[in-house]
Amino acid sequence: MAGGLWRAGAGGAGGSAADQLGGVARPNPQAALALGEAEGMTLGEAVRTPAFALMGCSILLASAALTGVVPHMVLLALDRGFSKGDAAITASVYGLSTVLGRVVAGWLADRFAVPRVAAAFFGLSMAGFALAGVFGAVAGMPLLVFLSLMIGLGFGAESVVIALLIMRFFGHRAFGAIYGWLLGAFLVGASIGAPLFGFGHDAFHSYGVALFVAAGVMGGAVALMLILDRQS
């Protein structure tokens, strides 16, 4: 009995070693499934879908507005005649609202379609930019804080929905590669948004036009997410 067990074990070990030395790969289908290797699209398959283009364009637009405004938050408040202390408060509210946006967007994404959640938060930021453009010149501190909150919630949600959109539409077979490309779109938007806010201020001696443009850009991001939702 012991000899039989020994021979069986040795035979199994020997076969495994022979397979390795001979370069024969024997993947475990169950292990592959557990790792998610058999679920979802490859990068090449994902980038050829309309959904990928819609995501990338929406993320780029939203990032241009939501990330682009970050370096100008304090300057925007100072431009409206607020003190440095008040300007710092608005910037802090923006930062804290991004955390809240991540938490709330993640909670909602467990209950509603991810593109709809993204569209809702982007729409909220769109309204915040538009209201800031309309009332910014006469806004008091409470309204300025509220507008910072509206805009910041969208920025926080964007960082969450990128990963959730990938899981929803493409699976996790090539999650890292797809995420890298969409994060690239986010960074492109971030890199062009801040200078455009600055150019707008220098050209019109106010952030008013830049805020209205940002509202329009966010409107485009909302529209793309709603189109994406119809494909889901």
Side-chain angles (χ1 to χ4, degrees), residues 102-115 117 160-161 164:
R102 288 179 173 90
V103 175
V104 176
W107 183 84
L108 290 173
D110 287 336
R111 292 157 177 81
F112 303 98
V114 179
V117 174
V160 171
V161 299
L164 297 177

Side-chain angles (χ1 to χ4, degrees), residues 108-129:
L108 290 173
D110 287 336
R111 292 157 177 81
F112 303 98
V114 179
R116 295 181 186 180
V117 174
F121 276 88
F122 290 173
L124 185 66
S125 294
M126 176 186 69
F129 279 120

Side-chain angles (χ1 to χ4, degrees), residues 77-104:
L78 294 175
D79 187 62
R80 300 302 192 190
F82 290 93
S83 67
K84 293 181 180 179
D86 289 341
I89 291 175
T90 60
S92 298
V93 169
Y94 185 90
L96 292 174
S97 65
T98 63
V99 178
L100 181 61
R102 288 179 173 90
V103 175
V104 176

Side-chain angles (χ1 to χ4, degrees), residues 5-140:
L5 290 173
W6 181 87
R7 285 191 295 271
S16 175
D19 287 347
Q20 293 176 8
L21 292 173
V24 179
R26 292 187 179 183
N28 185 335
Q30 293 181 344
L33 184 61
L35 292 173
E37 295 175 359
E39 299 180 8
M41 300 182 186
T42 65
L43 174 62
E45 293 169 340
V47 297
R48 290 192 292 269
T49 63
F52 184 87
L54 290 169
M55 288 180 203
C57 291
S58 181
I59 290 167
L60 188 152
L61 290 175
S63 176
L66 296 171
T67 309
V69 75
V70 172
H72 299 274
M73 288 298 298
V74 172
L75 296 175
L76 194 152
L78 294 175
D79 187 62
R80 300 302 192 190
F82 290 93
S83 67
K84 293 181 180 179
D86 289 341
I89 291 175
T90 60
S92 298
V93 169
Y94 185 90
L96 292 174
S97 65
T98 63
V99 178
L100 181 61
R102 288 179 173 90
V103 175
V104 176
W107 183 84
L108 290 173
D110 287 336
R111 292 157 177 81
F112 303 98
V114 179
R116 295 181 186 180
V117 174
F121 276 88
F122 290 173
L124 185 66
S125 294
M126 176 186 69
F129 279 120
L131 291 173
V134 173
F135 298 109
V138 296

